[in-house]
Amino acid sequence: MNKLSGSIKLVVFLLTLSFSGLSYSQDLIMARVKQNFPETMVSLQSAIKKTGYTISRVQRIDIGLTKSGFKTDKYRVVFFGKADEVEKLTSKHPDITPYLPLKISIFAENNDTIIVSNNPQHLKNYFKKIPSHYFTNWEKDVKKIFFQTGIIE
Amino acid sequence: MKKSLLILLSLLFTFNINAATNGQKLFESNCSSCHGTKGQGGVGIPISLPSFIDSVSDNYLAKTIQYGRPGRVMPSFNALPSKDIQAIVTYMRSWTGNKGKVFSRKNIKGNAKAGKKLFDQHCVSCHNAGGTGGVGTGVTFSRPRNAAIIAPSLNNPGFLSSAEDHFIKETLVNGRAGTPMMSYKALGLSDKDINNLVRYIRSFEGGPYPYQGYDTESAIIKVDSPYNLEETLANVKDAIMGKNFKLIRIQELNKGLVKPGKENKKQIIVYFCNFNFLNKALAIDPRIGMFLPCRLTIVEQDGKVSILTTNPLKLAGIFNNHELSEACKEMHTIYTELLEEATL
């Protein structure tokens, strides 16, 4: 019991060290992670997998910009989803396809890293034929991913 | 008596510490993702700059948190209880340890017409005509910008509701060290000139304000194609290249989610980009990753082919950024034209 409570304290302590807060307005979920970009990217991908999703692709926005002659720090977009969910949902409701797979943007800001996503609940009113639990679960999962990304492993 | 005073003082001290601690937590959960952990700035402006934080009133900070800046990224936190807003303000004061200024709420008298002439002469280069403010978000550490700090929008209803006339005057008189805002007194303007400028800035109140949300728009743009999937894909590629966009990738929607060879060939994503446009959009607001890269999705279902994309106007509403909304209007037009061209 003591060991467990010690672990919880450690996690809380590490969380305090690394995560400077998750903020979400109604439609935007955003967090500043007090880790540099490479570490946060590893944490983010690990959190996505732990939450039961598969990463389908990482789009390197910064590489395209740099190749075109523009200066930028690290900027990526991570796409993720659940194969069966995507298949089931898009076959019945093809209008949702532009919003799938889900995605989270991640970019460097000095020694911190910013992660941003739209709040999936935001879409609920526009896809009324889709059962609302999809949007509720996505919101819950995205927030969980953001929260876990702040934990140093 | 002495003992009671000590107890009272220690209670007050404890109360302030608790307010600051609670305020820190509230700041971190509501403000730090944009303004930085210690208010050093990022997507939001650097609010811990001593020349800023020590020159504003608690009233200004509280009202700014409450009203936000419509169309200028800073959202309204009017759902936060006033005690939480006060706790945030108390925490912000701990950065320099100084108390906030207290300004008279009395209006400053002056001649707005004369003030406009001075504004056009001295202020427009940073604050733009009509006080609409500089372009972009607060400061950036990620990509080059022309100005280290974006000049605030003086015609913003959130600013005008928060700023006292005497605060505006003091800013004009003293300038703001560490930013491009210089002292107008040092520039040679008289007290009367500065009063006229304050009157002109105040005259923006109640005037037209361009920012509007797009909450009524559909979340997608969709067009049915008279062609089969292969022909539609070829048309989409031609239309994209015809608009000077670079094709980045063509893939099945579920690629990477399923085992190779199991992809759904009837749901195709076409990714494309114009890096010049992208660079401009990122300078306006670095949070736009959810738009990226540009994408059209081609879907064949029950023998019918459709092209779909996210509606940039719908997404624009999320960011509370008027400039970005303007770029989204442009993107909406581009997407609509692409869909039309591909299905002609």
Side-chain angles (χ1 to χ4, degrees):
Chain A
M1 183 62 191
N2 277 345
K3 204 176 172 184
L4 182 66
S5 120
S7 306
I8 291 169
K9 278 179 189 166
L10 180 66
V11 167
V12 170
F13 173 69
L14 292 175
L15 191 66
T16 313
L17 278 182
S18 63
F19 201 51
S20 116
L22 170 62
S23 74
Y24 26 91
S25 65
Q26 200 180 345
D27 302 326
L28 197 67
I29 304 174
M30 183 169 170
R32 174 180 296 272
V33 183
K34 288 190 268 184
Q35 292 182 113
N36 64 24
F37 182 90
E39 285 171 354
T40 308
M41 180 57 117
V42 170
S43 303
L44 175 64
Q45 296 199 23
S46 165
I48 289 171
K49 287 173 192 165
K50 274 186 187 168
T51 313
Y53 290 87
T54 302
I55 294 166
S56 61
R57 178 171 167 71
V58 176
Q59 182 69 46
R60 299 184 303 171
I61 303 294
D62 51 319
I63 303 294
L65 278 167
T66 308
K67 278 184 182 171
S68 299
F70 298 105
K71 286 182 183 172
T72 180
D73 207 329
K74 302 273 189 303
Y75 199 121
R76 310 276 157 90
V77 180
V78 182
F79 294 84
F80 59 100
K82 291 177 179 171
D84 52 345
E85 188 178 70
V86 168
E87 189 187 339
K88 195 175 164 187
L89 205 51
T90 57
S91 62
K92 212 169 177 184
H93 306 282
D95 283 1
I96 193 73
T97 53
Y99 288 93
L100 295 176
L102 301 171
K103 54 183 161 178
I104 292 174
S105 325
I106 168 168
F107 59 94
E109 196 179 87
N110 261 6
N111 295 323
D112 294 347
T113 307
I114 308 290
I115 46 178
V116 193
S117 174
N118 63 322
N119 187 339
Q121 283 279 15
H122 174 66
L123 298 171
K124 193 170 70 178
N125 293 335
Y126 295 89
F127 298 99
K128 288 188 173 160
K129 288 179 183 168
I130 298 178
S132 63
H133 67 81
Y134 281 104
F135 302 102
T136 309
N137 289 343
W138 286 338
E139 181 191 34
K140 195 178 72 186
D141 288 344
V142 168
K143 286 179 181 173
K144 194 173 168 186
I145 289 165
F146 272 50
F147 197 70
Q148 286 187 357
T149 302
I151 300 172
I152 302 168
E153 293 179 300
Chain B
M1 178 65 186
K2 206 174 171 183
K3 201 176 171 185
S4 305
L5 191 66
L6 275 173
I7 291 169
L8 185 65
L9 280 174
S10 68
L11 278 174
L12 280 172
F13 180 72
T14 312
F15 174 78
N16 273 334
I17 293 279
N18 285 340
T21 310
N22 185 36
Q24 182 174 359
K25 283 181 190 159
L26 286 162
F27 183 88
E28 287 182 350
S29 60
N30 291 288
C31 320
S32 71
S33 57
C34 286
H35 290 289
T37 318
K38 291 186 167 35
Q40 72 274 25
V43 172
I45 63 164
I47 46 179
S48 59
L49 200 67
S51 66
F52 169 76
I53 192 76
D54 288 345
S55 68
V56 296
S57 65
D58 286 359
N59 170 65
Y60 175 83
L61 292 175
K63 283 189 172 169
T64 295
I65 296 168
Q66 188 184 353
Y67 301 136
R69 294 284 184 271
R72 294 282 292 184
V73 182
M74 169 75 185
S76 156
F77 289 89
N78 59 3
L80 272 182
S82 60
K83 67 174 176 52
D84 287 357
I85 292 177
Q86 285 308 323
I88 293 172
V89 172
T90 303
Y91 168 65
M92 290 169 73
R93 290 284 170 221
S94 73
W95 290 331
T96 60
N98 297 324
K99 285 185 176 173
K101 285 274 177 79
V102 178
F103 294 106
S104 161
R105 304 281 178 92
K106 283 185 182 170
N107 292 339
I108 286 175
K109 289 179 183 168
N111 182 330
K113 206 172 168 185
K116 184 185 183 311
K117 276 186 189 166
L118 291 165
F119 190 90
D120 291 345
Q121 194 181 342
H122 298 287
C123 315
V124 158
S125 59
C126 292
H127 291 280
N128 282 321
T132 54
V135 174
T137 49
V139 294
T140 183
F141 303 111
S142 304
R143 56 189 63 80
R145 284 269 179 79
N146 295 331
I149 293 170
I150 304 303
S153 159
L154 304 174
N155 74 338
N156 191 285
F159 171 78
L160 291 166
S161 302
S162 308
E164 305 91 345
D165 278 9
H166 288 270
F167 158 65
I168 299 172
K169 181 171 180 176
E170 191 162 304
T171 306
L172 288 163
V173 169
N174 297 330
R176 183 147 292 143
T179 80
M181 178 70 196
M182 57 190 107
S183 159
Y184 277 35
K185 201 174 175 186
L187 272 180
L189 268 69
S190 67
D191 196 59
K192 189 181 168 188
D193 288 337
I194 291 176
N195 286 348
N196 291 341
L197 266 172
V198 173
R199 210 57 247 143
Y200 176 61
I201 291 167
R202 186 56 67 193
S203 76
F204 296 142
E205 211 154 36
Y209 190 68
Y211 179 70
Q212 288 170 2
Y214 299 101
D215 279 348
T216 56
E217 289 286 339
S218 162
I220 59 165
I221 308 172
K222 181 181 179 183
V223 170
D224 290 334
S225 171
Y227 305 101
N228 67 29
L229 193 137
E230 289 73 23
E231 290 165 338
T232 306
L233 176 58
N235 291 347
V236 163
K237 283 159 67 176
D238 287 346
I240 286 169
M241 287 188 286
K243 287 226 175 280
N244 290 324
F245 279 82
K246 189 178 175 185
L247 270 174
I248 296 180
R249 190 180 179 89
I250 297 168
Q251 65 165 79
E252 296 84 4
L253 186 135
N254 61 354
K255 187 179 172 69
L257 296 177
V258 294
K259 286 180 182 168
K262 298 282 182 189
E263 296 91 353
N264 184 345
K265 306 285 180 195
K266 293 184 175 181
Q267 295 176 337
I268 306 294
I269 300 174
V270 183
Y271 288 117
F272 56 101
C273 190
N274 177 322
F275 288 102
N276 193 32
F277 187 82
L278 170 63
N279 191 55
K280 280 183 195 167
L282 282 169
I284 293 171
D285 198 322
R287 302 171 298 166
I288 58 163
M290 68 192 71
F291 293 102
L292 307 177
C294 289
R295 158 184 170 174
L296 295 179
T297 309
I298 306 167
V299 174
E300 184 189 322
Q301 193 169 34
D302 304 325
K304 198 172 85 176
V305 176
S306 305
I307 313 174
L308 306 96
T309 185
T310 54
N311 184 347
L313 292 183
K314 176 68 213 128
L315 289 175
I318 297 173
F319 295 92
N320 184 34
N321 187 338
H322 172 62
E323 283 171 62
L324 186 65
S325 297
E326 292 301 302
C328 285
K329 272 188 199 170
E330 194 180 333
M331 204 56 226
H332 180 271
T333 305
I334 291 169
Y335 273 153
T336 307
E337 287 173 1
L338 283 174
L339 264 57
E340 280 172 8
E341 282 172 32
T343 52
L344 276 177

